[in-house]
């Protein structure tokens, strides 16, 4: 069994400065509130991993979401530019996993397939377009 927790916004920024143990404690406190005294969450914990998305120099805590009226925005973001630049990532997935690692992986597969189709056969022959 696996449980995933995440924190966003100002709370994530504040927790980021406190380090890994603070991340774990916030998650445990949150889970403990779900089960109350019936379950000792810390005693049930077998292992924990943490990634400080806020401290990541490339993401800096960012993630995507679609604003009201933004239908189709993810699909538009995923469109290749001039057949030479292909995009992938959680913001490019318009399926049920949009905004997640699973969505990022799926969009990467989609982009790789588009690129492979555009590149043509491996034997050097170009496809008719």
């Amino acid at each position: 069994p696996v449980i995933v927790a995440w924190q966003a916004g100002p709370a994530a920024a504040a927790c980021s400065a406190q380090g890994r143990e603070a991340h774990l404690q916030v998650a445990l406190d949150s889970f403990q509130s779900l089960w109350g005294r019936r379950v000792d969450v810390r005693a049930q914990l077998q292992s924990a991993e943490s990634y400080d998305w806020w401290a990541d120099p490339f993401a800096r805590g960012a993630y995507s979401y679609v604003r009201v009226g933004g239908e189709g925005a993810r699909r538009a973001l995923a469109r290749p530019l001039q057949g030479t630049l292909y995009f992938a990532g959680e913001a490019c997935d318009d399926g049920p996993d949009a905004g997640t690692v699973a969505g990022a992986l799926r969009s990467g597969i989609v982009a790789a397939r588009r690129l492979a189709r555009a590149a043509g056969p491996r034997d050097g022959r170009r496809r008719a377009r």
Side-chain angles (χ1 to χ4, degrees):
V2 174
I3 295 178
V4 177
W6 65 277
Q7 188 176 45
C15 194
S16 175
Q18 296 175 19
R20 185 182 186 283
E21 284 305 313
H23 299 172
L24 178 58
Q25 191 58 53
V26 167
L28 289 172
D29 290 348
S30 177
F31 294 134
Q32 191 67 60
S33 73
L34 294 172
W35 287 287
R37 295 182 181 170
R38 293 175 294 158
V39 175
D40 180 355
V41 173
R42 186 171 279 282
Q44 296 295 317
L45 181 66
Q46 294 178 15
S47 68
E49 296 296 326
S50 175
Y51 187 80
D52 191 346
W53 198 248
W54 192 268
D56 183 292
F58 300 107
R60 300 193 52 166
Y63 63 94
S64 68
Y65 61 95
V66 177
R67 295 176 66 171
V68 173
E71 297 81 13
R74 292 183 187 279
R75 206 171 10 259
L77 182 60
R79 273 191 219 114
L81 290 180
Q82 300 178 353
T84 60
L85 187 58
Y86 293 79
F87 298 95
E90 50 88 23
C92 295
D93 181 59
D94 66 349
D97 296 322
T100 69
V101 172
L105 292 171
R106 187 173 90 142
S107 74
I109 292 167
V110 169
R113 287 179 179 156
R114 285 179 174 167
L115 177 60
R117 276 195 309 271
R122 290 185 182 210
D123 64 4
R125 292 179 288 154
R126 300 293 291 172
R127 279 188 185 159
R129 295 183 189 220

